[in-house]
Each structure stands twice: as C-alpha cells, then as structure tokens.
Amino acid sequence: MIKPIIPPATIGIIGGGQLGRMIAIAARSMGYRVGTLEPTPDSPTGQVADFQITAPYSDQDALIELARRSDVLTYEFENVDLVALKRVATMTSVPQGTELLAITRDRIREKTFLRDVAGVPVTDFVSVPNADSLAGAIAQIGYPAILKTATGGYDGHGQQDLNGPADLGAARQLAAKAPCILERRAHFHRELSLMVTRDGRDRVRTFPVVENRHVDHILHTTLAPAPGLDEGVRQQIDQLATNIAEGLDLRGVLGIELFATDTGVLVNELAPRPHNSGHYSIEACNVSQFTAHVLSICGLPIPRIRLEERAVMRNLLGDDLLAARAEWTEHPEWHLHDYGKAAVRTGRKMGHITVTGSVGDTQLDLLGQVQLGRKVK
C-alpha cells in the first residue's frame, strides 16, 4: 500500500503527447492539478494541463522543476532518463519507480522477466549482442524468426524478418547497429491485449481482453471484448496479467500484448503506461484506463472493472483525422478524439474514433460504423 495523494495535489507528467493529454483530462476531472514536461510548445498535454515546462526531456533542471511543482510524477512514454528519474524521486513521489521502465524498455530483460519471474509463456528467444553472434543465435532459434533491437524499436521499426538465409545480410546490418534479440516467430491467428493495474490496496484490476488488428505494424482497430474468446482462455489471461502485475509490484496501468496460437497464448510485449488498445475504455468501461492510472499512482481504491458496452476503436493516422472531421456530421454514433497535434504527418497518430453498442450489436456491425469514406445510417 502507498499513502494516498488526494486532490488538489499536482500530478506531473513527463511527456506531452496524447497519452499524457488523456491522463490529464482524467486527473483534472477528479480535481487534481496537472503539469507536463514537453519540448514541443502547445503540446497535446499542455493544452489541457495547468502548466507546461517547455524543455527537452534531457534537461535535468527542467525535470527538477517539474518534480518540485508536483506531488507525484508519472510518464507517458518509456524513454525517460532513469538516472534523472531516480534523482528526483528524492524530491517527490514516483510510485512507478524506475525498475518497471528498466525492464520494459529492454526486450531481453522483458522476455527474461516474463519467463523466469512471472512464469508466463513467451516465444523462444536469445540475445544477439552483435553481428558476429547472429549465426549462433539462428542455429539455436531456427527459421522463421524475427530480429529486433533490444531497445528503441516501435511500430515495426528496428526489426527484421528472417525467413531464410537470404535475409541474413539485412539482419547483420541491424545487429551491427545495436544489441538485438532474436525471437522464434510465433504462428498466431490473432493478436490480443489487455490493461492491468493495482490499486492503493494492492488489489489487481484487469480490463477486458480485446482483439487488435494492425496495418503496416501499427494498430488500426481494437474490438472490445475480443470476439469468441473462450472463457478458459480469458481466465488464463487474467491470471497471467495478475502474475505480471504482482511480479512488477505494479503502479499505474500496464498494457500486455499477446498472441493467440493454436496451442495457447504467448505474451509478446509490455507497455508500462496507458496503451493505444485501451482507448475504448473511456466510453465502454465503468473506469477508463486513464482514470485507473491516476487512481493507482495516487494510491486510491479502484472498483472491479467491467465492460458496460461492446466497443470498437479505430486509430486515425495522418490524413484520417481530416477525413473523420469532414464526415463527423454524418455519424452521431462516433466518439471522436482529436489529439490536438499541430502537424498532420503520414502514419502519425492524430486521434481515434470509438463506437459503442448494446449487447445485441455484433462486432461486425460496430466495425462497419468506423469505416471512413462511407456513410452508415
């Protein structure tokens, strides 16, 4: 248990993107004040916060200023300076600590924790510290496999498929740039995820298991709940989420990405923060992932989380946002979230749409209502 932090205390958020924005909106609705550290002026978080410190993330004086003005610190992305975060932890509450970041930002540490500490299933993997070690790693893992940088990759960046010897050249180039991990490619039929947290009384709270559909390695749509999920599998996923949360001494919310295979589920990755696939919870659950995050880091109780309506969430990337704005007048069923980013760029997350439905609505019906370029009555 941690000492509760009650409004009108100030929550400091490292990072000013859309996740920070939605954390800030949830926090302010409860009466908290919010500050953010972000190098981009008028950031998505800064637009809804009480104050923004505009400075690079590497500016330790700026981080110290945020800590001095905050009663609790959190973050909306993984690449926080761990040394600086440890230093300011002597000045204010940092309930998530630094170990969670240290584990989840390093794929080798993350997979090792999942397998050896949490005891949850993962695909076979081996460390590839340099290009010269690649051949031995392939001999151990075999084809097909996927080579990923141990740190820093996202949305398909920093990885190379290995289907056979023809891919070795590109893989060696990647391994020469940075330490990597080689993973046996999982043969899965769909991707699942869920959010998990612990409240101020150390009770684990899990969100519904959802199905995620990707385009070009970027999340496109989330279906909540995951259609046709066997109850035994759902219970298994809830238990592994509990094992992970307790193994990490978790504070805040954590995203768990999974592969559903013919022989069971495998944990793929962890995200130590609110996650894109949990956005549906704002409209569809009794507690959103952002509210749960605030309650958790502030040491407050969280009720059991339930899905109140079926939901589909669709990401808006680049020009999708402009199309959604133009078509919004024809779609009263849309919950449109515009992240307030200044520049529209191809592939950039600009917003999302959530559509909810009654128990009788099928996922296919809801999916049809988030297609851009067509009118749905």
Side-chain angles (χ1 to χ4, degrees), residues 109-110 126 131 133 140 179 215 218 230 238 250-251 258 281 293 296 310 325 349 365 369:
R109 286 197 63 181
E110 182 177 88
V126 65
S133 59
Q140 183 174 339
V215 175
I218 301 175
D230 179 81
D238 269 5
L250 181 65
R251 300 296 171 193
L258 309 110
S281 63
H293 184 81
S296 178
R310 295 179 183 273
R325 286 173 178 168
K349 296 183 179 77
D365 290 337
Q369 296 179 60

Side-chain angles (χ1 to χ4, degrees), residues 163-176:
N163 297 307
D167 297 318
L168 279 174
R172 282 186 62 85
Q173 291 180 17
L174 182 62

Side-chain angles (χ1 to χ4, degrees), residues 22 220-223 276 279-283 311-317 320-329 331-339 350-356 366-374:
M22 288 180 273
H220 185 269
T221 50
T222 294
L223 286 69
N276 203 173
H279 291 347
Y280 74 93
S281 63
I282 298 173
E283 284 84 24
V312 168
M313 187 282 301
R314 187 206 194 277
N315 260 338
L316 298 174
L317 305 179
D320 286 348
L321 177 63
L322 305 182
R325 286 173 178 168
E327 297 178 31
W328 194 6
T329 58
H331 292 276
E333 74 280 7
W334 283 2
H335 298 276
L336 178 60
H337 295 256
D338 185 329
Y339 299 154
M350 301 298 300
H352 71 268
I353 295 169
T354 300
V355 174
T356 61
L366 298 181
L367 269 173
Q369 296 179 60
V370 293
Q371 303 304 312
L372 297 181
R374 54 184 287 191

Side-chain angles (χ1 to χ4, degrees), residues 130-147:
N130 51 54
D132 292 338
S133 59
L134 181 60
I138 293 172
Q140 183 174 339
I141 296 297
Y143 296 110
I146 183 167
L147 184 72

Side-chain angles (χ1 to χ4, degrees), residues 40-304:
T40 305
D42 192 35
S43 68
T45 306
Q47 292 167 13
V48 299
D50 294 280
F51 65 90
Q52 174 175 326
I53 299 170
T54 305
Y57 300 129
S58 58
D59 187 331
Q60 296 197 15
D61 289 338
L63 181 58
I64 289 170
E65 181 185 352
L66 180 66
R68 285 177 174 163
R69 297 176 68 176
S70 303
D71 298 286
V72 58
L73 281 185
T74 187
Y75 44 79
E76 62 131 34
F77 64 98
E78 288 89 328
N79 294 321
V80 179
D81 185 327
L82 296 184
V83 174
L85 193 60
K86 286 181 180 178
R87 184 175 296 120
V88 298
T90 63
M91 302 170 54
T92 192
S93 175
V94 185
Q96 293 161 277
T98 57
E99 185 64 9
L100 174 62
L101 282 173
I103 290 172
T104 55
R105 69 166 48 173
D106 185 316
R107 289 188 170 100
I108 298 168
R109 286 197 63 181
E110 182 177 88
K111 282 286 197 301
T112 302
F113 162 80
L114 289 169
R115 183 189 64 191
D116 298 345
V117 178
V120 302
V122 297
T123 191
D124 292 338
F125 67 94
V126 65
S127 172
V128 183
N130 51 54
D132 292 338
S133 59
L134 181 60
I138 293 172
Q140 183 174 339
I141 296 297
Y143 296 110
I146 183 167
L147 184 72
K148 303 176 182 178
T149 54
T151 61
Y154 67 97
D155 288 346
H157 299 285
Q159 62 185 53
Q160 172 65 44
D161 289 334
L162 279 160
N163 297 307
D167 297 318
L168 279 174
R172 282 186 62 85
Q173 291 180 17
L174 182 62
K177 294 177 181 177
C180 293
I181 182 174
L182 185 70
E183 301 176 358
R184 189 186 308 277
R185 186 181 301 159
H187 297 284
F188 60 92
H189 50 82
R190 59 174 171 169
E191 298 185 48
L192 306 172
S193 69
L194 78 162
M195 307 304 300
V196 63
T197 189
R198 290 198 312 160
D199 72 1
R201 300 174 184 174
D202 295 339
R203 296 174 299 195
V204 175
R205 298 303 195 206
T206 57
F207 282 77
V209 180
V210 302
E211 178 178 331
N212 298 314
R213 300 180 180 180
H214 294 74
V215 175
D216 296 330
H217 302 287
I218 301 175
L219 181 63
H220 185 269
T221 50
T222 294
L223 286 69
L229 189 66
D230 179 81
E231 178 61 19
V233 174
R234 189 197 64 76
Q235 291 180 6
Q236 176 194 359
I237 293 173
D238 269 5
Q239 185 58 58
L240 68 83
T242 298
N243 293 349
I244 292 168
E246 292 178 343
L248 290 169
D249 192 22
L250 181 65
R251 300 296 171 193
V253 298
L254 177 81
I256 303 175
E257 300 179 20
L258 309 110
F259 294 143
T261 75
D262 291 337
T263 57
V265 294
L266 298 173
V267 177
N268 181 38
E269 290 184 347
L270 305 178
R273 49 168 173 73
H275 190 261
N276 203 173
S277 67
H279 291 347
Y280 74 93
S281 63
I282 298 173
E283 284 84 24
C285 292
N286 62 317
V287 178
S288 79
Q289 65 167 339
F290 301 102
T291 296
H293 184 81
V294 173
L295 293 173
S296 178
I297 63 172
C298 292
L300 295 169
I302 301 173
R304 291 187 182 276

